[in-house]
Amino acid sequence: MGCQDEQRPPTSLPPARRTWAGWLFLGVLALYLFTAAGQFQTVDAAQELGVAVSLRHGNGVRSDFPVGAGGGTTVGRDGHRYAGHDIGSSLLYLPYTLIPGTAEHRVTTTRTDDSQPRALVPNQRLYFAASFLAPLLGALIVLVFALLLAELGFDPTTVVVTASALAFATTVWVYAHVSFDSTATSLAAVAAVWCAVRFLRQGTPRDALATGACLAAGVLVRVDTLVMVPFLALPVLIGAYRQWKQKVARPIASIVAVAAPVTGAFAAALVYNWYRFGSITDNGHTDDGFLAFNPRLGEGLFGQIASPGKGLLVFSPLLIVALFRWRWFLKRHAVIAGSVAGATIATLLAHAAIVGWAGDQAWGARFTVVVVPLVAIPLARVVQEIRDHRIGTAGRVATGAAAVVGFVIQVSGVFVDFFAVVVARRLRGEDTATSLTHAAYVDGLGVLWRAVTHAQPYADLTPAWIASLQVARLDVWWVRAAQVSGWNPFTVCIPLVLLGLACWAGLRLRRVVFDPATR
């Protein structure tokens, strides 16, 4: 006997009919790969990849980047340099280091004696290959989000339309293009919610364990994901309590199953800190000014949620539409909605309390990416009501406009060189970290307009900067490859194959999803 929420309808489709999920994943992944950058835009990801290379070749978890506060590395207790990041992202990059010829020898030690071995560090081939991790994680976010909606009882057409809107009209697309750890933490969070919904429905320790494993993965990638854990684990605890009241199943087993992985991940993070820096509380960011306490908590909250320069609702306007159905969500799925709301509020408050509430030089507020799929869940109700003609013309127009505006904003971030935009703004003396007014998509749209009009897209960069950054007219891997080696079968055929796969997946979705029998 399960722990099914009494207000939850039965799942909309049996597993045998969910063939749409595979085609949705294939289509989104193909388009994400087509628009992938093929480069690392952030030093954080480069450091994490460097740790993966060190692990692969038996050099421990050392890092080969300059020492510096925040974005640089920190000298550890043994005199070597270490990245100030958690181990999770490096473990995700580890499979890419198995590709032959993806590392090179370089002296990485800070010591002056010549007896220290030369470590292997990433080369351009590895940077190129590993840059495709973000598109894969982004496509998985869309897939798990779709499966979550189906588990909540939505029909396939509603699920696919809503998931497609999440994929291409929110910041999920941009962060599937830029190498940041926000995409991995977002995937962990939405996967934890999906597993929690399954636990409420079925009540098996297996689903509780899956929930705990997802939360543990988030903690390994970013230890500050801990602020979400009590809320996202709440459905399992409530389900276990119901099991105890009904004297069914094994509630203690479910509680242990969700708690053990998270406890293990947190312990691993503490041990990792001690191994590098000699203290379980030192993660390499102790001298980072962006992590100092922010006395202007209201500014941090407004900046993350609604500011023109960084606001979540500005960069993903469809989330405003979703907010109008949160009352329905709370009424229909009280446990899950309360869990998601608590995790979202905790995340916003935790990051509003630090000076770098926006995540430094990022597209919008980087730390809010983790909650985008969670806030978007009630959007499926809006789509369903539009299809059932229960929303008037004004509502349909507003929803369509929000989708179009969101799509344009994401295009302005996906097809431009993120780092080149940041450098151009810094050269103008502008705030690229916590600006409340200057939105990055304004620069992105300007770059796209100049690219269309055949002018230099990044007008504020000198030729020396353009050469050093290897700026491409469009920041997609096949244009960059053609810029370096010219157009060839690789840079022409592979993008066409990806577009073909996306079209094929779309046609299969049309046949499977829009069949009246699936309704």
Side-chain angles (χ1 to χ4, degrees), residues 143-162:
L143 172 63
V144 174
F145 177 76
L147 294 174
L148 168 61
L149 296 183
E151 204 67 43
L152 291 173
F154 292 101
D155 64 84
T157 304
T158 298
V159 168
V160 171
V161 171
T162 309

Side-chain angles (χ1 to χ4, degrees), residues 37 99 108 158 221 275 288 301 461-462 498:
I99 301 173
T108 62
T158 298
V221 174
Y275 176 80
D288 187 351
L301 284 173
L461 295 180
T462 64
L498 292 173

Side-chain angles (χ1 to χ4, degrees), residues 81-462:
R81 285 177 269 179
Y82 294 96
H85 307 284
D86 297 303
I87 192 65
S89 293
S90 297
L91 297 179
L92 289 174
Y93 286 125
L94 195 57
Y96 292 91
T97 64
L98 301 177
I99 301 173
T102 53
E104 61 185 23
H105 285 284
R106 189 182 304 166
V107 176
T108 62
T109 181
T110 56
R111 301 176 182 178
T112 57
D113 60 285
D114 296 330
S115 62
Q116 297 300 316
R118 297 198 302 172
L120 283 167
V121 296
N123 60 19
Q124 290 303 315
R125 179 183 294 183
L126 181 54
Y127 281 129
F128 174 75
S131 70
F132 292 98
L133 175 65
L136 175 60
L137 296 178
L140 287 173
I141 289 174
V142 177
L143 172 63
V144 174
F145 177 76
L147 294 174
L148 168 61
L149 296 183
E151 204 67 43
L152 291 173
F154 292 101
D155 64 84
T157 304
T158 298
V159 168
V160 171
V161 171
T162 309
S164 299
L166 176 79
F168 299 107
T170 72
T171 51
V172 170
W173 190 10
V174 174
Y175 280 86
H177 178 82
V178 181
S179 304
F180 269 122
D181 55 17
S182 303
T183 312
T185 51
S186 182
L187 174 60
V190 71
V193 176
W194 175 47
C195 295
V197 172
R198 289 176 59 85
F199 177 80
L200 283 178
R201 180 169 173 264
Q202 302 176 16
T204 63
R206 178 187 61 189
D207 291 317
L209 179 61
T211 304
C214 293
L215 294 175
V219 171
L220 285 176
V221 174
R222 287 194 65 90
V223 74
D224 53 9
T225 308
L226 279 171
V227 300
M228 307 179 76
V229 168
F231 301 98
L232 297 185
L234 185 63
V236 175
L237 302 181
I238 292 176
Y241 174 75
R242 291 175 179 175
Q243 290 177 338
W244 176 75
K245 292 287 288 184
Q246 297 169 0
K247 294 181 172 56
V248 297
R250 292 172 293 176
I252 300 300
S254 297
I255 294 174
V256 172
V258 73
V262 177
T263 304
F266 183 51
L270 298 182
V271 171
Y272 189 51
N273 289 343
W274 173 84
Y275 176 80
R276 293 175 297 167
F277 305 116
S279 170
I280 61 174
T281 60
D282 186 356
N283 64 354
H285 281 278
T286 54
D287 57 351
D288 187 351
F290 278 111
L291 296 184
F293 175 71
N294 178 22
R296 299 188 294 272
L297 186 66
E299 178 185 292
L301 284 173
F302 171 73
Q304 291 179 92
I305 298 171
S307 69
K310 295 288 185 179
L312 175 67
L313 301 180
V314 175
F315 279 75
S316 302
L318 270 177
L319 298 184
I320 300 175
V321 178
L323 291 178
F324 282 95
R325 289 298 177 267
W326 258 86
R327 182 178 179 182
W328 166 87
F329 189 28
L330 287 165
K331 183 178 180 180
R332 189 60 178 252
H333 305 283
V335 173
I336 294 299
S339 168
V340 167
T344 300
I345 293 171
T347 299
L348 294 176
L349 285 174
H351 293 110
I354 61 175
V355 171
W357 50 261
D360 202 1
Q361 300 162 356
W363 186 265
R366 170 164 61 101
F367 296 135
T368 63
V369 176
V370 66
V371 303
V372 169
L374 308 186
V375 178
I377 292 173
L379 183 63
R381 179 65 176 178
V382 178
V383 173
Q384 186 179 65
E385 291 179 352
I386 290 176
R387 295 180 57 236
D388 292 340
H389 305 287
R390 286 185 284 166
I391 289 183
T393 302
R396 293 197 298 270
V397 170
T399 303
V404 171
V405 171
F407 176 78
V408 171
I409 288 175
Q410 311 323 315
V411 165
S412 71
V414 167
F415 287 96
V416 304
D417 189 325
F418 163 79
F419 193 66
V421 169
V422 170
V423 169
R425 287 185 59 188
R426 291 175 64 182
L427 291 176
R428 296 197 299 265
E430 297 179 5
D431 176 17
T432 58
T434 57
S435 174
L436 295 174
T437 56
H438 192 116
Y441 62 79
V442 174
D443 292 313
L445 291 173
V447 170
L448 289 178
W449 171 253
R450 287 189 292 272
V452 172
T453 56
H454 303 290
Q456 169 53 249
Y458 300 88
D460 296 313
L461 295 180
T462 64

Side-chain angles (χ1 to χ4, degrees), residues 27-68:
V28 172
L29 179 61
L31 291 176
Y32 277 5
L33 291 176
F34 179 79
T35 56
Q39 64 161 339
F40 267 37
Q41 301 94 335
T42 68
V43 68
D44 288 358
Q47 290 182 49
E48 291 158 354
L49 182 61
V51 172
V53 172
S54 293
L55 284 170
R56 163 69 177 82
H57 295 282
N59 290 324
V61 291
R62 292 157 51 184
S63 180
D64 181 44
F65 280 84
V67 175

